[in-house]
Amino acid sequence: MHRRHANLALSQNISAVLENLLKDYDNMQRPASGVGPTRVRTNMLIRSMGPISELDMEYSMDCYFRQMWRDERLSFNSSIDQLSLNIKMLEGIWKPDTYFLNGRGSYVHMITRPNKLIRLSSNGSILYSMRLTIKAKCPMLLQHFPMDKQTCPLIIGSYAYTDRDLVYEWDQEINVGLARGIYLSQFDLISFPFRNATVHRKSGKKNAEEYSILQVNFNLQRHTGYFMINVYLPCTLIVVLSWVSFWINREATADRVSLGITSVLTLSTISIESRTSLPKVSYATALDWFLLVSFGFVIATLLEFASVHFFTKVGSGEFPVLDDSNAEREGRSPEEDEWEDVELEELSPDDPPGGLASRDAIKHRLPSNGSKDLHQRRSSASSINSVSMIDRVSRVLFPLLFGVLSLFYWTLYWSQPPPNTWALTD
């Protein structure tokens, strides 16, 4: 019973204190007006970050955003040093008009009640905390995509008060913090430097005025595993597959051409799919250069075969010559096949009427070694220049050149320096 009476008396005391504080309080006037600028200390705890969109060049994050300032008009004498107040109290006191200069569609969480907190200390210090989802612009340079490092800024300031009236400062104890277990699917958060600064901005007057701002830059490094598995490795294997045509006989025209065309179409499909999530920038990214090199090698393979086919002569294997095995497959004996090679001009005028001599008469007039000479001529003709010298050189030249270009490519783009944190956002 005694404790109940004590709690009731304390509650009545707090209510009386708050009524007296707001009795003559003017929430249109900032604290320390006419004395100096009001100083607002700020810190934030990031609960989660993402997604980060290259197409829209923006990112989002969920955080606790806290602001602290001192208003001596709200100081009081009580046995309690700090009061946790209802958010209705915010309607009756002055608050800084803080906004995000590069924000896009930020909002306060309202479920199940507005996620806001306000605490008042006996010396007039106010803690104002809220849970926000912030969507902000993130200008990206994609020349090194997908081995790129990006800097996504968050800029905080006052919309109406210049630095003569309102100054923002990072809280020295907490400033910017990350919740445990935060993870980004596409990037690694390598650092998040912060600073106090001023910006020049026109506010309806002829000359620009200075405004106090806070800035934190989230330096991100992209994960390359997805692109290695889905782009780089398939493209490399397709280029290697196109080199198989160097070991295919040049008389197999349909096989070599179809292999090259299939490789080109597959690379085209991969190229289109890899750019669906990227903005239509006017410059080539690192991924574009790799795809262009891959296209170049596949098309060069087709041109190489065109050269081989152009220099192919009659008797090189392009036109088959029947040998003994061919004759047997067609139902003729080798001796019968030899008679087809004998020209009609070899018949003499003494042959019987009808214009054709018997096979025995013709065979009798042929030299004894004529059959052997014809067989050697057909065998040598079927094996002349069966493998092109261009193919033999290409078997070594193409892999060597592709390896050198790949080494230069990965050395150039993988060893890029870290981004200049402030130069990209100033």
Side-chain angles (χ1 to χ4, degrees):
M1 185 64 69
H2 178 71
R3 181 178 297 177
R4 181 180 299 177
H5 286 293
N7 291 336
L8 181 60
L10 180 60
S11 176
Q12 293 175 349
N13 185 25
I14 293 174
S15 300
V17 167
L18 294 177
E19 290 178 1
N20 291 330
L21 289 177
L22 298 178
K23 189 174 183 180
D24 297 322
Y25 186 89
D26 184 7
N27 61 0
M28 305 297 291
Q29 193 74 18
R30 67 175 180 85
S33 178
V35 179
T38 302
R39 298 190 175 274
V40 179
R41 292 182 293 116
T42 303
N43 68 64
M44 59 192 310
L45 176 64
I46 301 171
R47 301 179 67 251
S48 63
M49 180 174 286
I52 300 172
S53 173
E54 298 87 358
L55 188 61
D56 299 323
M57 290 197 177
E58 64 181 20
Y59 71 101
S60 61
M61 54 184 286
D62 184 9
C63 68
Y64 296 127
F65 182 66
R66 308 182 184 102
Q67 301 176 85
M68 292 153 284
W69 68 94
R70 186 176 180 182
D71 191 344
E72 294 183 352
R73 297 173 295 177
L74 298 177
S75 59
F76 60 91
N77 294 321
S78 177
S79 58
I80 301 177
D81 293 334
Q82 192 176 70
L83 299 176
S84 294
L85 306 178
N86 189 280
I87 59 174
K88 290 292 184 179
M89 184 73 175
L90 290 171
E91 300 175 0
I93 65 174
W94 178 89
K95 303 177 295 296
D97 59 342
T98 306
Y99 83 114
F100 302 102
L101 277 69
N102 62 328
R104 287 182 177 177
S106 304
Y107 62 90
V108 180
H109 289 253
M110 304 295 290
I111 305 297
T112 58
R113 294 277 296 167
N115 296 175
K116 295 182 179 181
L117 175 148
I118 181 170
R119 288 176 182 169
L120 178 62
S121 300
S122 58
N123 62 355
S125 296
I126 300 172
L127 168 63
Y128 178 34
S129 176
M130 64 185 79
R131 183 187 172 191
L132 300 175
T133 291
I134 303 171
K135 184 180 291 186
K137 293 186 295 183
C138 180
M140 297 184 182
L141 299 176
L142 300 172
Q143 286 90 343
H144 291 80
F145 177 87
M147 281 84 70
D148 55 331
K149 298 176 182 178
Q150 303 294 343
T151 296
C152 294
L154 182 64
I155 306 173
I156 306 166
S158 171
Y159 187 81
Y161 293 103
T162 64
D163 61 348
R164 297 189 302 270
D165 300 321
L166 191 60
V167 175
Y168 287 90
E169 299 174 344
W170 285 111
D171 188 2
Q172 296 181 356
E173 297 180 0
I174 304 177
N175 45 69
V176 181
L178 296 178
R180 225 175 248 186
I182 188 171
Y183 176 78
L184 286 77
S185 60
Q186 303 177 41
F187 293 88
D188 278 331
L189 182 58
I190 55 179
S191 63
F192 45 95
F194 51 88
R195 67 172 178 175
N196 305 334
T198 57
V199 294
H200 296 272
R201 191 172 80 236
K202 290 186 177 181
S203 57
K205 295 183 179 181
K206 185 176 181 180
N207 298 325
E209 296 181 305
E210 291 188 350
Y211 290 80
S212 175
I213 64 167
L214 301 176
Q215 181 175 352
V216 54
N217 284 349
F218 300 102
N219 295 328
L220 307 168
Q221 183 173 7
R222 191 184 303 274
H223 296 157
T224 57
Y226 171 83
F227 300 95
M228 291 291 183
I229 297 172
N230 292 277
V231 180
Y232 285 102
L233 183 59
C235 288
T236 302
L237 293 179
I238 291 170
V239 173
V240 173
L241 179 63
S242 68
W243 299 339
V244 174
S245 64
F246 301 149
W247 278 265
I248 300 177
N249 292 333
R250 55 178 160 180
E251 54 268 16
T253 305
D255 297 337
R256 295 186 66 163
V257 172
S258 61
L259 179 61
I261 293 176
T262 302
S263 301
V264 171
L265 294 177
T266 306
L267 281 176
S268 300
T269 303
I270 295 176
S271 176
I272 293 172
E273 290 181 354
S274 64
R275 292 196 61 89
T276 53
S277 60
L278 290 179
K280 295 178 175 61
V281 294
S282 59
Y283 50 83
T285 65
L287 185 63
D288 293 332
W289 285 117
F290 186 84
L291 291 171
L292 287 174
V293 170
S294 300
F295 268 113
F297 272 90
V298 174
I299 293 175
T301 302
L302 282 171
L303 297 178
E304 185 270 349
F305 175 65
S307 301
V308 170
H309 191 73
F310 178 78
F311 290 108
T312 297
K313 304 300 182 182
V314 176
S316 62
E318 182 74 21
F319 302 98
V321 180
L322 292 175
D323 54 9
D324 294 347
S325 62
N326 297 134
E328 292 176 358
R329 284 194 299 268
E330 294 182 8
R332 303 190 306 271
S333 64
E335 290 78 6
E336 292 175 340
D337 189 60
E338 290 175 2
W339 285 103
E340 294 181 1
D341 295 331
V342 179
E343 298 180 357
L344 294 178
E345 286 77 7
E346 295 181 357
L347 298 177
S348 65
D350 298 332
D351 287 329
L356 293 177
S358 65
R359 292 187 178 182
D360 293 338
I362 296 174
K363 185 177 181 181
H364 182 266
R365 291 205 308 270
L366 285 172
S368 60
N369 59 350
S371 177
K372 183 178 180 181
D373 292 340
L374 288 174
H375 181 72
Q376 290 178 353
R377 186 174 59 191
R378 286 195 303 269
S379 300
S380 60
S382 63
S383 61
I384 292 176
N385 199 22
S386 60
V387 178
S388 174
M389 183 60 66
I390 299 177
D391 279 340
R392 293 182 179 179
V393 173
S394 299
R395 293 172 185 178
V396 178
L397 181 61
F398 274 64
L400 180 62
L401 185 58
F402 186 75
V404 172
L405 290 178
S406 297
L407 180 62
F408 175 76
Y409 174 87
W410 292 110
T411 303
L412 176 64
Y413 286 106
W414 197 268
S415 59
Q416 61 168 316
N420 188 338
T421 301
W422 305 117
L424 295 176
T425 56
D426 282 341

